Amino acid sequence: TDVTTGEINVATIEREQVKDFINLVSPREILLHPDTVNKISKTRETQEAFENIKNSIPITVVAQQWQGAARGHLEIENTLEKFEGALDMIVGYIKETQGTISSNLTKINVYEKSEYLKIDPNSRKNLELTENATTRQKKNSLFDMLDYSVTSLGKRTLRKWIENPLK
């Protein structure tokens, strides 16, 4: 979810696809339901992947339930009903942490893994898509060369397109 652009991104993914999906969307924070944490801790492989992710991205376990929170702020189409619990959690969490829900929080994107090119982390680094491999700075990256954006929203959109190219 990007509060400034009003976008909410949702997806259905298999347990073994979590790491790839996180590399695809590059989230700043991950919200998890306690039941999801319990499922993760059942196998050693998922526990290890979870620990690796936790070291680089803040993970918040949201125990509070905000049943129906999304319905008051979002128009949920029939095709999105399977995401309603997650959308309730997102809207409730934003309301609790931000104090209010922005009126521009309306666009729901359903990520379909098959629409995006899969680029592994080493390739991302070597291609220098958004940061220079040596200095880890934006300077001399593909993003730096293409970025003539005037607004912050334009910069974020360009970065998203470079990090998640369509097939």
Side-chain angles (χ1 to χ4, degrees), residues 70-136:
R71 289 268 177 203
H73 297 281
L74 303 170
E75 290 183 31
I76 300 174
E77 301 169 13
N78 290 341
T79 56
L80 297 172
E81 283 182 352
K82 68 180 178 180
F83 299 111
E84 189 168 3
L87 293 169
D88 286 341
M89 183 171 71
I90 291 167
V91 169
Y93 181 76
I94 291 170
K95 195 169 186 178
E96 183 178 288
T97 57
Q98 304 294 315
T100 186
I101 299 293
S102 173
S103 61
N104 74 335
L105 192 65
T106 56
K107 186 174 181 187
I108 303 172
N109 300 321
V110 179
Y111 268 96
E112 294 293 338
K113 184 181 155 194
S114 61
E115 293 177 5
Y116 297 93
L117 185 65
K118 181 180 175 183
I119 306 173
D120 66 271
N122 287 332
S123 296
R124 285 181 186 280
K125 181 180 176 187
N126 292 331
L127 288 168
E128 297 184 334
L129 297 175
T130 56
E131 62 182 30
N132 182 307
T134 11
T135 63
R136 313 255 317 155

